[in-house]
Amino acid sequence: MNIDLSKILHRLLCIYAFLIPFEHILKKWFSIDTILKPYRFLAILSIAVFSFMMTRNRSLRIRTDFQQDIFLYAMVIYGLLISLFYMITTPFSLGRFYNELFQLVLYLGVFFTIKNSDFSKQQLYQILYSLLVGVFLNSIYVFYNFYVLADYTRPKGYMDNPNFLALSVAVTIIVFVKKIDEVKGIVRWGLLFALPFMLYIFIISGSRTASGSLLVAALLLLVFLSSKAKILFLFSVVALSTFVLTTRKIAGPNVLLERIRERDATKDPRIYLWKGVIAASEKTNYVGLGLGQFEARFPSLYQNENHYQIREAVQFGYYLSAHSDYFAILITYGIVGLVSFILFLYTSTRKVVLALLFYKQKEKRSFFELQLILLAALVVFGIASENLGNALYWLLLAFATKSITFLESKTQKLQNQPTANLLHEDTIG
């Protein structure tokens, strides 16, 4: 009896993606608070199956994406070396280190699995669609609590943070709009009805950070969409905005608008956190503190800070995240890690842009258009949000940077070009 491990791996990743929006479902339903959440269990299974495939089939090689991702892996390796150095030379929090290492290995492992598996374009879309189904169901739960039960606290559903809810909804909106321009019939009508609902969920999630990401994504969408789709998208945004602004009592509080209007720079801790990161980095000559040590040293790093949220965290022995991928990488992995991560983003973006320039047919370009849009949204989202410990971010990053080609003849042509090492991929979609 032959077992298709590749198919099993793909199905496990689809279930993993579907479960990501339900991170705290065990806690809400059964009061079970465990580190081994359902989606993490599926992540472990997926990595185990992929590892078994690698060991059983010795001819199975690391794919060419590894060359592009080498800067990302270099950042992680450098961070581990710095952590080991501080572990034997300074007071070191092993608990924080193990916690951050567990999440990093788990999500990076899934990232590595997706990037180095023989998945076609259709299979990659299926993984993404599984995520979107989960996001849509979580959004229904959010709508029920907010609109029906009138629970006007800033919603997050089953997810860990309202910002991650907003990011997941923003991605869903991006894909819905993109697909409305490509499909016909009942599927198009279903997406048309679902789009205003998702826009409403995005508004009540109240994320200014995700708003910036969605704005950048929308601008790119308007470049790639057909004229009819552009008009439809703009009409949907205007119609929903008008409804929410003019019928507040019916629609509930406009969380996003209220947070923008009431914004006070002195209340937001981000600037103060970033200043603290820079000051701490200067003291360590920008070599980084190692995994988990920013959180462990937070009270000592910010003991003289007067911002009320930071002061409260220090008094209770807690910590705040750096609220930025780039500042978090700087304080954890040092300037070497930050430069490596930026180079990874640069090579990934360059590869997708080159693919867009190479492929002319709309059906083939569509995949790379979506990759570029999602990658841009993640880059912007990372400016004011810390995501390296979030499964949603790593899954989207894997999809947005995964190499894929369509025809062998195209591949052969690419091999003769200077940029072949960025575009070439054996997977046929």
Side-chain angles (χ1 to χ4, degrees), residues 50 62-66 68-69 72-73 109-119 124 344 348 351 397-403 425 427:
F50 179 76
I62 300 299
R63 308 191 65 77
T64 53
D65 265 349
F66 185 82
Q68 166 206 315
D69 299 337
L72 180 64
Y73 301 134
V110 174
F111 174 88
F112 183 88
T113 297
I114 295 174
K115 294 297 294 287
N116 293 281
S117 296
D118 292 323
F119 291 143
L124 290 173
F344 161 72
S348 299
K351 179 194 67 176
L397 190 64
F399 180 90
T401 59
K402 171 74 174 174
S403 294
E425 174 64 54
T427 304

Side-chain angles (χ1 to χ4, degrees), residues 262-289:
E262 297 174 0
R263 182 182 178 187
D264 184 349
T266 61
K267 293 182 179 181
D268 196 324
R270 284 181 174 87
I271 299 299
Y272 303 93
L273 289 168
W274 297 344
K275 288 180 179 178
V277 166
I278 294 174
S281 298
E282 289 178 349
K283 292 179 181 179
T284 58
N285 297 314
Y286 294 96
V287 298
L289 295 177

Side-chain angles (χ1 to χ4, degrees), residues 83-92:
S83 299
L84 292 175
F85 173 76
Y86 282 124
M87 194 181 296
I88 60 178
T89 59
T90 63
F92 193 86

Side-chain angles (χ1 to χ4, degrees), residues 143-201:
F143 179 81
Y144 176 77
N145 284 331
F146 190 87
Y147 185 84
V148 179
L149 300 183
D151 179 6
Y152 293 144
T153 56
R154 191 179 170 199
K156 57 183 179 181
Y158 292 113
M159 303 188 78
D160 184 60
N161 188 291
N163 286 330
F164 294 140
L165 168 66
L167 176 63
S168 68
V169 173
V171 169
T172 305
I173 292 171
I174 292 168
V175 178
F176 279 10
V177 174
K178 195 80 173 61
K179 288 302 174 183
I180 285 173
D181 196 31
E182 300 170 3
V183 298
K184 296 180 180 180
I186 190 170
V187 176
R188 172 179 283 184
W189 283 106
L191 293 175
L192 285 172
F193 280 109
L195 183 59
F197 171 74
M198 297 308 294
L199 283 169
Y200 177 74
I201 298 299

Side-chain angles (χ1 to χ4, degrees), residues 219-287:
L219 292 175
L220 284 173
L221 273 172
L222 290 175
V223 173
F224 296 130
L225 291 177
S226 65
S227 299
K228 290 183 179 179
K230 289 177 183 177
I231 295 173
L232 183 62
F233 179 52
L234 292 174
F235 174 78
S236 299
V237 172
V238 173
L240 182 66
S241 300
T242 302
F243 170 75
V244 173
L245 291 173
T246 58
T247 59
R248 175 174 173 173
K249 291 183 179 180
I250 299 176
N254 186 334
V255 181
L256 179 59
L257 184 60
E258 290 179 356
R259 294 192 77 226
I260 293 175
R261 283 178 175 176
E262 297 174 0
R263 182 182 178 187
D264 184 349
T266 61
K267 293 182 179 181
D268 196 324
R270 284 181 174 87
I271 299 299
Y272 303 93
L273 289 168
W274 297 344
K275 288 180 179 178
V277 166
I278 294 174
S281 298
E282 289 178 349
K283 292 179 181 179
T284 58
N285 297 314
Y286 294 96
V287 298

